[in-house]
Amino acid sequence: MLSPVMLNLARAGAPAAILFRSWTARMRRADFAMLAIGALLLADLGWGLRLAFAIPPFGGSDEAYHWLRVREISFGELLARKLGPNDWGGTFDVRDIKLIGYFGIRYARGLPVDWHVAHDIARRLQGVAGTTAIGSFPSTASFAPLAYLPNVLGVAIARACGGDLLAQLHGGRMAGVLCYVGLSGLLVAILPTARLAAMAVLSMPAAVTQAATFSADPLNLMLPALLAACSLRLRLRPGTRFGMATRSGLVALAMSLGLLKMTSVVFSPVVLLVPTVRFASGAARWRFVATCICAAVAVALAWNVAYPFMPGLYWKTGADPRAALNALAAQPVHHVRAMLGEAWSAMPGLLQSAYGRVGAHPAADGTRYPAHVGWLGLAAILGLALGNRGPRAKAASFLLAALAGAAVILLMIAFRIAYNPPLVDAVTGVQGRYLHPAAFFLVLAVALLPIWRGLDGWANMLQAAGFAAAFAAQVGTILTVLGWLRETWG
């Protein structure tokens, strides 16, 4: 039996002991999350820089066209020139075409690239006076310059340092990786919850690969994700300031969506996450939301009216946008159901591509990695989202899920009209990498669902197992990819 003194001491110390255990448990969870996020950031930086050199020049998805657009912008030509119906281009250095030609011929013939020959060509071209020409590359010239700014900066720095074309290409790639990893760190720092799950999405090998090559996709993912993270923080962290600078920043982020691919504007309503309590009145909140959405839509319309590029007409896929719209209007239910059915059947391949596709060359579709590894990585991301221990917000979850679904549907409709033949319901041309922004929103939506109640142990197990699986899948995929990339170098 305890003495009265000891009993009183135990009673006095019980709350302190409970608080201490609670504090240490939170610290363990926080330390684990921070260490896991730090590991993924370091891995992304290392793999990204390695892939920037391992992937052959112009071996990324449509990289030759992105290279021409980046070079055009780096010389100060921000706006494309109209060259004819559905045709835009601009000024480029003739030496670029000669360098692209060497790699293009090797890829077309299925031959490996000789590193020494490639560098010898670049050095010889460096000694030749540059001549410019006006050329057509509308698939990228029609894009706004915003998404290319990281690559442009790297190319400009390499050129200022006297680097040849290959040095400039690798400089642009490295700048893309550094920007992507830096923005990933900023994003998870802003997010008030689901940081590890969000970081796992950003660390998917296909997403890192896009950052390691010339592409507009990294910022097409990052800018909507940043808008979502800021809006969610204002909802879940009452102490976050919401002054004029923050409001102006959100409006600017929303406007930037209009300078990305046109389907990105579907994410602008994410500012609805900012609660009414942040404003003087409900009317003030709706004015702010309307300003953000209208700004995004107005910028997108202005740019796409100025550059109304139709990819199906350029690539000669048999597309006829007017006929497609007429067909949809005549039998909307039939065509929408058929289109969604085709999209559903294609979704497994799209998801596998979204996780691990690495460029268009040298493999025909860039998916030469074990399929089960990709499914393991996707399951791990889902597990991290389900095991999230942060605050719950059912309404916010539904909004994020709705925006993710709307983005996928809008993407399918856009390709159905602008890329596919008008009477063919199968949606072709969509690639898994286009789903990355929707995947980010969907993961946040799952993480905010009020699933775990009194099941903290299971949630912790999901977090630990999810991170281990996600990291293993990432390492396995990239090591496999690096292995077969060696086959492309002679």
Side-chain angles (χ1 to χ4, degrees), residues 2 181 208 210 245 262 318 339 341 357 372 375 395 404-405 417 486:
L2 291 174
V181 174
V208 177
Q210 293 306 309
M262 192 172 185
M339 180 181 65
R357 177 169 175 164
H372 62 272
W375 291 120
I417 294 171
R486 292 194 190 98

Side-chain angles (χ1 to χ4, degrees), residues 141 214 308 355:
F214 284 76
Y355 181 81

Side-chain angles (χ1 to χ4, degrees), residues 36-421:
I37 290 169
L40 288 175
L41 284 170
L42 286 174
D44 289 353
L45 180 62
W47 296 130
L49 292 176
R50 180 70 184 92
L51 287 170
F53 289 89
I55 297 174
F58 315 114
S61 300
D62 302 323
E63 193 174 17
Y65 299 98
H66 292 298
W67 164 258
L68 293 176
R69 179 61 170 144
V70 167
R71 288 274 288 171
E72 177 189 32
I73 297 169
S74 73
F75 285 112
E77 194 168 325
L78 302 181
L79 303 178
R81 302 189 186 192
K82 186 171 180 61
L83 303 178
N86 198 51
D87 191 14
W88 285 270
T91 305
F92 61 83
D93 194 322
V94 174
R95 295 176 297 180
D96 292 334
I97 304 303
K98 294 180 179 179
L99 186 64
I100 291 172
Y102 167 73
F103 293 97
I105 291 172
R106 305 296 289 185
Y107 298 148
R109 296 176 179 174
L111 300 173
V113 174
D114 190 308
W115 179 265
H116 299 290
V117 172
H119 275 278
D120 185 57
I121 292 172
R123 282 191 293 268
R124 289 205 311 268
L125 290 174
Q126 185 73 358
V128 177
T131 57
T132 59
I134 304 297
S136 169
F137 44 99
S139 60
T140 55
S142 58
F143 287 177
L146 174 63
Y148 292 113
L149 292 183
N151 301 128
V152 169
L153 180 61
V155 168
I157 291 174
R159 185 169 62 239
C161 294
D164 59 26
L165 292 179
L166 279 183
Q168 292 176 41
L169 181 138
H170 289 123
R173 284 181 170 185
M174 287 191 294
V177 172
L178 293 173
C179 178
Y180 185 78
V181 174
L183 287 178
S184 297
L186 174 64
L187 181 60
V188 295
I190 292 172
L191 266 177
T193 186
R195 292 176 174 177
L196 187 50
M199 190 64 232
V201 175
L202 301 177
S203 295
M204 291 192 300
V208 177
T209 297
Q210 293 306 309
T213 57
F214 284 76
S215 174
D217 289 332
L219 285 189
N220 276 271
L221 165 60
M222 279 298 177
L223 294 181
L226 279 170
L227 184 61
C230 293
S231 301
L232 196 58
R233 186 178 185 86
L234 289 167
R235 185 183 189 90
L236 300 180
R237 294 286 178 85
T240 304
R241 293 183 180 181
F242 190 49
M244 185 56 65
T246 304
R247 299 184 190 209
S248 301
L250 286 180
V251 174
L253 266 177
M255 290 179 65
S256 73
L257 302 188
L259 294 175
L260 304 175
K261 294 178 180 178
M262 192 172 185
T263 53
S264 297
V265 298
V266 76
F267 296 113
S268 59
V270 76
V271 293
L272 284 165
L273 290 175
V274 184
T276 305
V277 70
R278 292 285 187 173
F279 301 89
S281 65
R285 175 176 179 263
W286 283 110
R287 283 196 297 270
F288 175 78
V289 170
T291 298
C292 291
I293 296 174
C294 291
V297 172
V299 171
L301 286 175
W303 185 268
N304 286 276
V305 166
Y307 299 95
F309 175 63
M310 289 293 170
L313 300 179
Y314 178 74
W315 298 111
K316 296 180 173 56
T317 61
D320 186 338
R322 181 171 296 179
L325 286 170
N326 290 336
L328 287 171
Q331 293 181 297
V333 176
H334 165 75
H335 285 290
V336 169
R337 286 180 61 184
M339 180 181 65
L340 292 178
E342 291 285 347
W344 180 257
S345 64
M347 193 56 66
L350 288 175
L351 290 175
Q352 185 182 355
S353 173
Y355 181 81
R357 177 169 175 164
V358 179
H361 299 291
D365 57 2
T367 55
R368 285 176 56 186
Y369 69 98
H372 62 272
V373 175
W375 291 120
L376 173 65
L378 293 171
I381 293 171
L382 180 60
L384 288 170
L386 289 171
N388 179 53
R389 294 287 310 283
R392 306 299 177 178
K394 188 183 293 186
S397 174
F398 289 163
L399 175 62
L400 289 164
L403 293 178
V408 174
I409 292 172
L410 183 60
L411 180 67
M412 296 296 178
I413 292 174
F415 272 83
R416 173 69 175 78
I417 294 171
Y419 191 82
N420 293 183

